[in-house]
């Protein structure tokens, strides 16, 4: 958050402390492509993994035995696409969840408008981007929108809630843990 807000020195200090805290660990797994992407930018050789890529790319798992009988749209966050480069691991996992129907929607790869402090400093632009994302989701028959980043889900979920939309948000980890 500090680095994203322009406080590079403070952000670097906190990030370095986190890196030291995990020194000696074989891998570090986080349910956030934003956090993983940031850590990789600082220390590209450290074994930081986003949850879905760890399961698919490191462990070779695509089916974790989850069951979630709903229609789900997947929003690949900007950080999962452009910073952490998670790839298709989330979709591969979702396709193997029993009962889940993966629903495509227009604008999947478009930003939801959150971007950390971007949503505060550029609220009008952020709101317009969010409206586009919510419009696209509401034009599907999806019951849920999932993503890898809680910040995107919070932003999208807030937009959908204010519209009194039938579409709800859920983190990918929650789906993978469903029985």
């Amino acid at each position: 958050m500090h680095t994203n807000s322009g406080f590079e020195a403070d952000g670097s200090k906190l990030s370095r402390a986190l890196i030291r805290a995990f020194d000696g660990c074989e891998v570090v797994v986080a349910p956030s492509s934003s956090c993983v992407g940031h850590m990789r930018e600082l220390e590209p050789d450290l074994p930081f993994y986003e949850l879905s890529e760890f399961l698919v790319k490191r462990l070779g798992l695509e089916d974790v035995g989850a069951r979630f009988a709903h229609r789900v749209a997947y929003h690949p966050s900007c950080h999962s696409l452009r910073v952490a480069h998670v790839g298709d691991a989330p979709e591969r996992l979702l396709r193997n969840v029993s009962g889940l129907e993966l629903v495509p929607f227009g604008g999947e790869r478009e930003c939801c408008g959150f971007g950390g402090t971007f949503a505060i400093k550029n609220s009008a632009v952020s709101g317009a981007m969010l409206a586009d994302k919510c419009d696209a989701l509401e034009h599907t028959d999806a019951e849920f929108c999932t993503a890898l980043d809680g910040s995107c889900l919070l932003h999208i979920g807030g937009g959908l809630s204010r519209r009194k939309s039938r579409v709800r948000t859920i983190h990918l980890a929650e789906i993978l843990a469903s029985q």
Side-chain angles (χ1 to χ4, degrees), residues 11 28 72 75 87 90 94 112 130 133 135 140:
V28 178
V72 178
H75 164 69
L94 288 167
C112 70
L130 175 61
K133 182 64 68 171
D135 287 346
T140 70

Side-chain angles (χ1 to χ4, degrees), residues 14-33:
L14 290 170
S15 298
R16 299 276 173 221
L18 183 63
I19 289 167
R20 283 191 304 278
F22 289 113
D23 186 41
C25 292
E26 183 179 343
V27 296
V28 178
V29 180
S32 167
S33 58

Side-chain angles (χ1 to χ4, degrees), residues 38-113:
H38 175 72
M39 298 310 288
R40 285 183 182 163
E41 285 179 331
L42 291 173
E43 294 290 337
D45 296 330
L46 289 178
F48 283 92
Y49 288 88
E50 182 279 323
L51 175 64
S52 68
E53 71 173 347
F54 177 74
L55 292 170
V56 173
K57 296 176 183 176
R58 177 80 186 235
L59 298 182
L61 294 173
E62 292 188 17
D63 187 342
V64 297
R67 175 163 178 67
F68 192 74
H70 297 282
R71 290 180 308 278
V72 178
Y74 169 62
H75 164 69
S77 68
C78 294
H79 280 102
S80 71
L81 293 170
R82 298 171 188 89
V83 181
H85 303 286
V86 171
D88 67 348
E91 292 100 327
R92 289 165 68 179
L93 288 161
L94 288 167
R95 284 199 238 4
N96 285 292
V97 172
S98 178
L100 187 144
E101 179 185 346
L102 192 55
V103 178
F105 69 101
E108 287 134 326
R109 297 174 68 89
E110 301 298 323
C111 181
C112 70

Side-chain angles (χ1 to χ4, degrees), residues 4 114 121:
N4 194 26
F114 182 71
K121 294 178 180 179

